[in-house]
Amino acid sequence: MTVETFFANFGHLADAPNGVQKLRELILQLAVQGKLVQQDPKDKPASLLLERIDTERKRLIREGKVRKQKQYESVEREEQFCLLPDSWCRARMGELILDITGGGTPSKNNPSYWGGDIPWASVKDVGKSKYLDSTIDFITPTGLQGSSSNLIPKGRVIVCTRM
């Protein structure tokens, strides 16, 4: 499909059932494949960045500032699903971040754990805005101490999951 054909039929695509959702999926797929914008051949390979991240992680582990994380199997087996530009490489999330902090929800059966002034981020708070400025729920210091919860510093990336 040419650019001209695409734009000539854009209205039909957008009005089709699930059309906007399909367009979003297409744009995301093109972005992930590096096809959304022109690739600069002068860009350094992403593998160099991954090496720098790994070197920094090892230094922080030696200094006791972060814990050693579980090793995951290689992502090479996934290469058949998506071709990437030459300067890109595959990596798992755990290879890109320095510290993973898990935790647990304070018991909802203990009212002294809830209604305090410590924001409690959960899946209920995700997707309402680009940045999480406030939360629906709050816990007390007793709730923080009486559970496997962790206080996450402001400015950190939080991935909320429900197990």
Side-chain angles (χ1 to χ4, degrees):
M1 175 185 298
T2 66
V3 172
E4 292 79 18
T5 305
F6 176 80
F7 283 116
N9 291 292
F10 184 79
H12 298 295
L13 295 169
D15 292 336
N18 298 323
V20 172
Q21 179 62 31
K22 293 293 183 187
L23 286 170
R24 286 182 180 139
E25 291 170 7
L26 172 64
I27 291 167
L28 178 60
Q29 185 65 31
L30 291 171
V32 167
Q33 293 176 346
K35 296 179 181 177
L36 197 57
V37 297
Q38 184 70 33
Q39 298 300 307
D40 187 346
K42 295 179 282 186
D43 283 347
K44 294 181 181 175
S47 58
L48 295 177
L49 177 59
L50 286 177
E51 288 173 22
R52 286 181 33 209
I53 292 171
D54 190 52
T55 300
E56 178 69 4
R57 177 185 293 111
K58 288 175 181 172
R59 182 185 69 77
L60 292 170
I61 289 169
R62 278 193 312 273
E63 294 175 4
K65 293 182 179 177
V66 298
R67 298 172 304 207
K68 186 172 183 175
Q69 299 295 327
K70 176 182 173 184
Q71 295 296 316
Y72 296 96
E73 67 181 79
S74 170
V75 293
E76 299 303 318
R77 63 181 176 77
E78 298 172 5
E79 286 194 22
Q80 72 235 16
F81 298 114
C82 174
L83 297 175
L84 298 177
D86 291 337
S87 62
W88 291 27
C89 65
R90 297 176 195 288
R92 294 198 183 275
M93 180 80 78
E95 295 175 79
L96 303 175
I97 55 180
L98 293 174
D99 193 27
I100 298 173
T101 304
T105 304
S107 173
K108 296 278 188 175
N109 295 327
N110 189 336
S112 70
Y113 287 178
W114 295 90
D117 58 358
I118 301 171
W120 177 258
S122 73
V123 293
K124 293 187 285 187
D125 302 303
V126 176
K128 293 182 178 30
S129 65
K130 184 174 181 178
Y131 299 104
L132 186 61
D133 295 323
S134 64
T135 60
I136 294 170
D137 296 319
F138 291 82
I139 62 171
T140 64
T142 306
L144 181 61
Q145 294 166 356
S147 68
S148 61
S149 301
N150 292 285
L151 193 58
I152 307 298
K154 183 178 181 175
R156 292 278 176 94
V157 174
I158 299 174
V159 178
C160 294
T161 61
R162 186 170 294 203
M163 299 295 181

mmCIF file of all heavy atoms in Angstrom, residues 76-113:
data_model
loop_
_atom_site.group_PDB
_atom_site.id
_atom_site.type_symbol
_atom_site.label_atom_id
_atom_site.label_comp_id
_atom_site.label_asym_id
_atom_site.label_seq_id
_atom_site.Cartn_x
_atom_site.Cartn_y
_atom_site.Cartn_z
ATOM 1 N N GLU A 76 17.184 -14.647 22.181
ATOM 2 C CA GLU A 76 17.514 -14.925 20.783
ATOM 3 C C GLU A 76 16.458 -15.793 20.112
ATOM 4 O O GLU A 76 16.201 -15.668 18.932
ATOM 5 C CB GLU A 76 18.881 -15.599 20.683
ATOM 6 C CG GLU A 76 20.020 -14.752 21.227
ATOM 7 C CD GLU A 76 20.130 -13.390 20.564
ATOM 8 O OE1 GLU A 76 19.987 -13.309 19.346
ATOM 9 O OE2 GLU A 76 20.347 -12.405 21.287
ATOM 10 N N ARG A 77 15.838 -16.711 20.871
ATOM 11 C CA ARG A 77 14.862 -17.619 20.279
ATOM 12 C C ARG A 77 13.633 -16.877 19.751
ATOM 13 O O ARG A 77 12.878 -17.395 18.964
ATOM 14 C CB ARG A 77 14.430 -18.670 21.291
ATOM 15 C CG ARG A 77 13.724 -18.094 22.496
ATOM 16 C CD ARG A 77 13.327 -19.184 23.481
ATOM 17 N NE ARG A 77 12.736 -18.638 24.658
ATOM 18 C CZ ARG A 77 11.488 -18.182 24.737
ATOM 19 N NH1 ARG A 77 10.712 -18.216 23.692
ATOM 20 N NH2 ARG A 77 11.017 -17.699 25.865
ATOM 21 N N GLU A 78 13.438 -15.626 20.161
ATOM 22 C CA GLU A 78 12.281 -14.858 19.735
ATOM 23 C C GLU A 78 12.533 -14.083 18.442
ATOM 24 O O GLU A 78 11.648 -13.438 17.933
ATOM 25 C CB GLU A 78 11.870 -13.889 20.838
ATOM 26 C CG GLU A 78 11.461 -14.600 22.116
ATOM 27 C CD GLU A 78 11.242 -13.636 23.272
ATOM 28 O OE1 GLU A 78 11.322 -12.422 23.069
ATOM 29 O OE2 GLU A 78 10.997 -14.121 24.387
ATOM 30 N N GLU A 79 13.748 -14.156 17.899
ATOM 31 C CA GLU A 79 14.081 -13.346 16.736
ATOM 32 C C GLU A 79 13.216 -13.633 15.521
ATOM 33 O O GLU A 79 13.030 -12.775 14.676
ATOM 34 C CB GLU A 79 15.560 -13.507 16.379
ATOM 35 C CG GLU A 79 16.433 -12.767 17.351
ATOM 36 C CD GLU A 79 17.856 -12.612 16.847
ATOM 37 O OE1 GLU A 79 18.076 -12.701 15.630
ATOM 38 O OE2 GLU A 79 18.724 -12.400 17.682
ATOM 39 N N GLN A 80 12.683 -14.831 15.407
ATOM 40 C CA GLN A 80 11.876 -15.156 14.241
ATOM 41 C C GLN A 80 10.590 -14.354 14.201
ATOM 42 O O GLN A 80 9.963 -14.247 13.164
ATOM 43 C CB GLN A 80 11.558 -16.651 14.209
ATOM 44 C CG GLN A 80 10.551 -17.058 15.265
ATOM 45 C CD GLN A 80 11.039 -18.174 16.152
ATOM 46 O OE1 GLN A 80 12.214 -18.472 16.198
ATOM 47 N NE2 GLN A 80 10.134 -18.805 16.845
ATOM 48 N N PHE A 81 10.159 -13.761 15.315
ATOM 49 C CA PHE A 81 8.880 -13.074 15.361
ATOM 50 C C PHE A 81 8.936 -11.646 14.828
ATOM 51 O O PHE A 81 7.934 -11.107 14.425
ATOM 52 C CB PHE A 81 8.333 -13.057 16.790
ATOM 53 C CG PHE A 81 8.085 -14.431 17.325
ATOM 54 C CD1 PHE A 81 8.836 -14.921 18.376
ATOM 55 C CD2 PHE A 81 7.120 -15.259 16.768
ATOM 56 C CE1 PHE A 81 8.616 -16.192 18.868
ATOM 57 C CE2 PHE A 81 6.901 -16.526 17.244
ATOM 58 C CZ PHE A 81 7.648 -16.993 18.299
ATOM 59 N N CYS A 82 10.100 -11.040 14.861
ATOM 60 C CA CYS A 82 10.163 -9.632 14.494
ATOM 61 C C CYS A 82 11.585 -9.275 14.093
ATOM 62 O O CYS A 82 12.498 -9.409 14.895
ATOM 63 C CB CYS A 82 9.698 -8.794 15.680
ATOM 64 S SG CYS A 82 9.880 -7.037 15.456
ATOM 65 N N LEU A 83 11.770 -8.820 12.861
ATOM 66 C CA LEU A 83 13.084 -8.372 12.429
ATOM 67 C C LEU A 83 13.302 -6.954 12.924
ATOM 68 O O LEU A 83 12.409 -6.120 12.862
ATOM 69 C CB LEU A 83 13.186 -8.432 10.909
ATOM 70 C CG LEU A 83 13.058 -9.835 10.300
ATOM 71 C CD1 LEU A 83 13.053 -9.749 8.788
ATOM 72 C CD2 LEU A 83 14.189 -10.724 10.785
ATOM 73 N N LEU A 84 14.500 -6.684 13.412
ATOM 74 C CA LEU A 84 14.822 -5.367 13.952
ATOM 75 C C LEU A 84 15.897 -4.698 13.107
ATOM 76 O O LEU A 84 16.673 -5.379 12.439
ATOM 77 C CB LEU A 84 15.350 -5.508 15.383
ATOM 78 C CG LEU A 84 14.402 -6.107 16.408
ATOM 79 C CD1 LEU A 84 15.109 -6.238 17.751
ATOM 80 C CD2 LEU A 84 13.162 -5.263 16.567
ATOM 81 N N PRO A 85 15.969 -3.376 13.175
ATOM 82 C CA PRO A 85 17.081 -2.692 12.501
ATOM 83 C C PRO A 85 18.419 -3.180 13.052
ATOM 84 O O PRO A 85 18.499 -3.633 14.195
ATOM 85 C CB PRO A 85 16.842 -1.214 12.858
ATOM 86 C CG PRO A 85 15.389 -1.127 13.172
ATOM 87 C CD PRO A 85 15.028 -2.448 13.784
ATOM 88 N N ASP A 86 19.468 -3.070 12.243
ATOM 89 C CA ASP A 86 20.784 -3.589 12.631
ATOM 90 C C ASP A 86 21.317 -2.992 13.926
ATOM 91 O O ASP A 86 22.016 -3.655 14.676
ATOM 92 C CB ASP A 86 21.804 -3.352 11.510
ATOM 93 C CG ASP A 86 21.513 -4.209 10.288
ATOM 94 O OD1 ASP A 86 20.840 -5.257 10.442
ATOM 95 O OD2 ASP A 86 21.956 -3.836 9.189
ATOM 96 N N SER A 87 21.008 -1.729 14.206
ATOM 97 C CA SER A 87 21.559 -1.090 15.403
ATOM 98 C C SER A 87 20.768 -1.429 16.668
ATOM 99 O O SER A 87 21.140 -1.022 17.754
ATOM 100 C CB SER A 87 21.599 0.429 15.227
ATOM 101 O OG SER A 87 20.284 0.937 15.055
ATOM 102 N N TRP A 88 19.666 -2.182 16.553
ATOM 103 C CA TRP A 88 18.841 -2.566 17.689
ATOM 104 C C TRP A 88 19.243 -3.948 18.173
ATOM 105 O O TRP A 88 19.900 -4.704 17.472
ATOM 106 C CB TRP A 88 17.376 -2.598 17.296
ATOM 107 C CG TRP A 88 16.761 -1.265 17.014
ATOM 108 C CD1 TRP A 88 17.379 -0.139 16.568
ATOM 109 C CD2 TRP A 88 15.384 -0.933 17.129
ATOM 110 N NE1 TRP A 88 16.473 0.868 16.387
ATOM 111 C CE2 TRP A 88 15.241 0.407 16.733
ATOM 112 C CE3 TRP A 88 14.265 -1.635 17.512
ATOM 113 C CZ2 TRP A 88 14.013 1.053 16.729
ATOM 114 C CZ3 TRP A 88 13.040 -0.990 17.502
ATOM 115 C CH2 TRP A 88 12.921 0.349 17.119
ATOM 116 N N CYS A 89 18.826 -4.291 19.385
ATOM 117 C CA CYS A 89 18.984 -5.659 19.868
ATOM 118 C C CYS A 89 17.856 -5.947 20.856
ATOM 119 O O CYS A 89 17.199 -5.042 21.352
ATOM 120 C CB CYS A 89 20.351 -5.884 20.501
ATOM 121 S SG CYS A 89 20.659 -4.956 21.990
ATOM 122 N N ARG A 90 17.637 -7.215 21.096
ATOM 123 C CA ARG A 90 16.589 -7.637 22.018
ATOM 124 C C ARG A 90 17.132 -7.680 23.440
ATOM 125 O O ARG A 90 18.282 -8.026 23.655
ATOM 126 C CB ARG A 90 16.085 -9.020 21.643
ATOM 127 C CG ARG A 90 15.445 -9.053 20.302
ATOM 128 C CD ARG A 90 15.047 -10.462 19.906
ATOM 129 N NE ARG A 90 14.766 -10.495 18.494
ATOM 130 C CZ ARG A 90 13.696 -9.964 17.927
ATOM 131 N NH1 ARG A 90 12.785 -9.393 18.665
ATOM 132 N NH2 ARG A 90 13.510 -10.001 16.629
ATOM 133 N N ALA A 91 16.270 -7.341 24.385
ATOM 134 C CA ALA A 91 16.640 -7.430 25.795
ATOM 135 C C ALA A 91 15.376 -7.622 26.607
ATOM 136 O O ALA A 91 14.300 -7.162 26.228
ATOM 137 C CB ALA A 91 17.359 -6.163 26.242
ATOM 138 N N ARG A 92 15.507 -8.313 27.698
ATOM 139 C CA ARG A 92 14.394 -8.457 28.631
ATOM 140 C C ARG A 92 14.400 -7.262 29.576
ATOM 141 O O ARG A 92 15.437 -6.639 29.812
ATOM 142 C CB ARG A 92 14.538 -9.750 29.417
ATOM 143 C CG ARG A 92 14.397 -10.971 28.526
ATOM 144 C CD ARG A 92 14.108 -12.193 29.377
ATOM 145 N NE ARG A 92 14.028 -13.382 28.575
ATOM 146 C CZ ARG A 92 12.930 -13.800 27.939
ATOM 147 N NH1 ARG A 92 11.829 -13.109 28.035
ATOM 148 N NH2 ARG A 92 12.948 -14.901 27.231
ATOM 149 N N MET A 93 13.247 -6.953 30.129
ATOM 150 C CA MET A 93 13.125 -5.829 31.039
ATOM 151 C C MET A 93 14.150 -5.922 32.179
ATOM 152 O O MET A 93 14.773 -4.936 32.547
ATOM 153 C CB MET A 93 11.712 -5.778 31.624
ATOM 154 C CG MET A 93 11.493 -4.648 32.583
ATOM 155 S SD MET A 93 11.178 -3.081 31.795
ATOM 156 C CE MET A 93 9.492 -3.281 31.329
ATOM 157 N N GLY A 94 14.339 -7.134 32.705
ATOM 158 C CA GLY A 94 15.280 -7.328 33.806
ATOM 159 C C GLY A 94 16.715 -7.009 33.457
ATOM 160 O O GLY A 94 17.537 -6.762 34.341
ATOM 161 N N GLU A 95 17.047 -6.994 32.166
ATOM 162 C CA GLU A 95 18.395 -6.638 31.737
ATOM 163 C C GLU A 95 18.578 -5.127 31.669
ATOM 164 O O GLU A 95 19.698 -4.640 31.604
ATOM 165 C CB GLU A 95 18.685 -7.232 30.361
ATOM 166 C CG GLU A 95 18.723 -8.744 30.319
ATOM 167 C CD GLU A 95 18.906 -9.244 28.899
ATOM 168 O OE1 GLU A 95 20.051 -9.215 28.430
ATOM 169 O OE2 GLU A 95 17.907 -9.646 28.282
ATOM 170 N N LEU A 96 17.495 -4.377 31.669
ATOM 171 C CA LEU A 96 17.559 -2.935 31.478
ATOM 172 C C LEU A 96 17.439 -2.147 32.767
ATOM 173 O O LEU A 96 17.745 -0.961 32.794
ATOM 174 C CB LEU A 96 16.445 -2.490 30.520
ATOM 175 C CG LEU A 96 16.454 -3.157 29.151
ATOM 176 C CD1 LEU A 96 15.230 -2.731 28.351
ATOM 177 C CD2 LEU A 96 17.728 -2.837 28.395
ATOM 178 N N ILE A 97 16.984 -2.789 33.829
ATOM 179 C CA ILE A 97 16.800 -2.081 35.089
ATOM 180 C C ILE A 97 17.770 -2.615 36.123
ATOM 181 O O ILE A 97 18.214 -3.749 36.054
ATOM 182 C CB ILE A 97 15.344 -2.191 35.587
ATOM 183 C CG1 ILE A 97 14.914 -3.650 35.700
ATOM 184 C CG2 ILE A 97 14.410 -1.449 34.662
ATOM 185 C CD1 ILE A 97 13.507 -3.833 36.188
ATOM 186 N N LEU A 98 18.123 -1.768 37.073
ATOM 187 C CA LEU A 98 19.142 -2.131 38.048
ATOM 188 C C LEU A 98 18.589 -2.841 39.274
ATOM 189 O O LEU A 98 19.277 -3.606 39.906
ATOM 190 C CB LEU A 98 19.910 -0.882 38.490
ATOM 191 C CG LEU A 98 20.755 -0.236 37.401
ATOM 192 C CD1 LEU A 98 21.356 1.056 37.907
ATOM 193 C CD2 LEU A 98 21.834 -1.184 36.918
ATOM 194 N N ASP A 99 17.346 -2.569 39.634
ATOM 195 C CA ASP A 99 16.831 -3.151 40.862
ATOM 196 C C ASP A 99 15.349 -3.454 40.717
ATOM 197 O O ASP A 99 14.588 -2.626 40.223
ATOM 198 C CB ASP A 99 17.054 -2.182 42.028
ATOM 199 C CG ASP A 99 16.826 -2.818 43.380
ATOM 200 O OD1 ASP A 99 17.001 -4.041 43.509
ATOM 201 O OD2 ASP A 99 16.496 -2.086 44.322
ATOM 202 N N ILE A 100 14.966 -4.641 41.127
ATOM 203 C CA ILE A 100 13.562 -5.041 41.121
ATOM 204 C C ILE A 100 13.145 -5.222 42.575
ATOM 205 O O ILE A 100 13.770 -5.978 43.313
ATOM 206 C CB ILE A 100 13.351 -6.353 40.342
ATOM 207 C CG1 ILE A 100 13.760 -6.165 38.879
ATOM 208 C CG2 ILE A 100 11.902 -6.813 40.450
ATOM 209 C CD1 ILE A 100 13.739 -7.441 38.061
ATOM 210 N N THR A 101 12.137 -4.494 42.990
ATOM 211 C CA THR A 101 11.641 -4.573 44.358
ATOM 212 C C THR A 101 10.244 -5.146 44.329
ATOM 213 O O THR A 101 9.350 -4.559 43.719
ATOM 214 C CB THR A 101 11.610 -3.172 45.008
ATOM 215 O OG1 THR A 101 12.913 -2.609 44.937
ATOM 216 C CG2 THR A 101 11.173 -3.249 46.448
ATOM 217 N N GLY A 102 10.070 -6.284 44.954
ATOM 218 C CA GLY A 102 8.750 -6.891 45.046
ATOM 219 C C GLY A 102 8.112 -6.531 46.377
ATOM 220 O O GLY A 102 8.691 -5.852 47.208
ATOM 221 N N GLY A 103 6.929 -6.996 46.573
ATOM 222 C CA GLY A 103 6.246 -6.727 47.829
ATOM 223 C C GLY A 103 4.895 -7.398 47.848
ATOM 224 O O GLY A 103 4.563 -8.174 46.965
ATOM 225 N N GLY A 104 4.140 -7.089 48.863
ATOM 226 C CA GLY A 104 2.817 -7.681 49.007
ATOM 227 C C GLY A 104 1.838 -6.679 49.567
ATOM 228 O O GLY A 104 2.217 -5.710 50.223
ATOM 229 N N THR A 105 0.596 -6.917 49.313
ATOM 230 C CA THR A 105 -0.472 -6.038 49.784
ATOM 231 C C THR A 105 -0.733 -6.276 51.262
ATOM 232 O O THR A 105 -0.884 -7.419 51.684
ATOM 233 C CB THR A 105 -1.761 -6.322 48.984
ATOM 234 O OG1 THR A 105 -1.482 -6.171 47.596
ATOM 235 C CG2 THR A 105 -2.880 -5.388 49.395
ATOM 236 N N PRO A 106 -0.792 -5.193 52.052
ATOM 237 C CA PRO A 106 -1.189 -5.362 53.458
ATOM 238 C C PRO A 106 -2.594 -5.969 53.524
ATOM 239 O O PRO A 106 -3.426 -5.718 52.654
ATOM 240 C CB PRO A 106 -1.189 -3.932 54.007
ATOM 241 C CG PRO A 106 -0.320 -3.159 53.073
ATOM 242 C CD PRO A 106 -0.491 -3.795 51.729
ATOM 243 N N SER A 107 -2.850 -6.749 54.533
ATOM 244 C CA SER A 107 -4.131 -7.440 54.661
ATOM 245 C C SER A 107 -5.288 -6.445 54.670
ATOM 246 O O SER A 107 -5.304 -5.491 55.445
ATOM 247 C CB SER A 107 -4.160 -8.263 55.952
ATOM 248 O OG SER A 107 -5.457 -8.798 56.138
ATOM 249 N N LYS A 108 -6.235 -6.688 53.782
ATOM 250 C CA LYS A 108 -7.449 -5.857 53.747
ATOM 251 C C LYS A 108 -8.333 -6.137 54.964
ATOM 252 O O LYS A 108 -9.228 -5.360 55.282
ATOM 253 C CB LYS A 108 -8.239 -6.135 52.463
ATOM 254 C CG LYS A 108 -7.518 -5.748 51.195
ATOM 255 C CD LYS A 108 -7.655 -4.286 50.901
ATOM 256 C CE LYS A 108 -7.092 -3.954 49.530
ATOM 257 N NZ LYS A 108 -7.314 -2.584 49.155
ATOM 258 N N ASN A 109 -8.076 -7.257 55.655
ATOM 259 C CA ASN A 109 -8.852 -7.612 56.847
ATOM 260 C C ASN A 109 -8.407 -6.848 58.090
ATOM 261 O O ASN A 109 -9.060 -6.945 59.122
ATOM 262 C CB ASN A 109 -8.755 -9.117 57.115
ATOM 263 C CG ASN A 109 -9.387 -9.931 56.006
ATOM 264 O OD1 ASN A 109 -10.361 -9.497 55.398
ATOM 265 N ND2 ASN A 109 -8.826 -11.092 55.719
ATOM 266 N N ASN A 110 -7.305 -6.127 57.997
ATOM 267 C CA ASN A 110 -6.817 -5.369 59.143
ATOM 268 C C ASN A 110 -7.027 -3.875 58.867
ATOM 269 O O ASN A 110 -6.248 -3.247 58.150
ATOM 270 C CB ASN A 110 -5.339 -5.666 59.387
ATOM 271 C CG ASN A 110 -4.840 -5.075 60.685
ATOM 272 O OD1 ASN A 110 -5.397 -4.108 61.189
ATOM 273 N ND2 ASN A 110 -3.789 -5.660 61.216
ATOM 274 N N PRO A 111 -8.060 -3.272 59.451
ATOM 275 C CA PRO A 111 -8.364 -1.867 59.170
ATOM 276 C C PRO A 111 -7.264 -0.902 59.611
ATOM 277 O O PRO A 111 -7.169 0.209 59.079
ATOM 278 C CB PRO A 111 -9.663 -1.599 59.936
ATOM 279 C CG PRO A 111 -9.927 -2.786 60.780
ATOM 280 C CD PRO A 111 -9.037 -3.893 60.342
ATOM 281 N N SER A 112 -6.384 -1.326 60.537
ATOM 282 C CA SER A 112 -5.315 -0.424 60.970
ATOM 283 C C SER A 112 -4.229 -0.276 59.899
ATOM 284 O O SER A 112 -3.358 0.578 60.019
ATOM 285 C CB SER A 112 -4.691 -0.915 62.284
ATOM 286 O OG SER A 112 -3.950 -2.097 62.071
ATOM 287 N N TYR A 113 -4.291 -1.097 58.867
ATOM 288 C CA TYR A 113 -3.309 -1.017 57.786
ATOM 289 C C TYR A 113 -3.698 -0.009 56.708
ATOM 290 O O TYR A 113 -2.866 0.393 55.912
ATOM 291 C CB TYR A 113 -3.126 -2.384 57.125
ATOM 292 C CG TYR A 113 -2.377 -3.410 57.929
ATOM 293 C CD1 TYR A 113 -2.199 -4.681 57.425
ATOM 294 C CD2 TYR A 113 -1.838 -3.130 59.180
ATOM 295 C CE1 TYR A 113 -1.501 -5.649 58.137
ATOM 296 C CE2 TYR A 113 -1.145 -4.096 59.901
ATOM 297 C CZ TYR A 113 -0.982 -5.350 59.379
ATOM 298 O OH TYR A 113 -0.296 -6.302 60.080
#
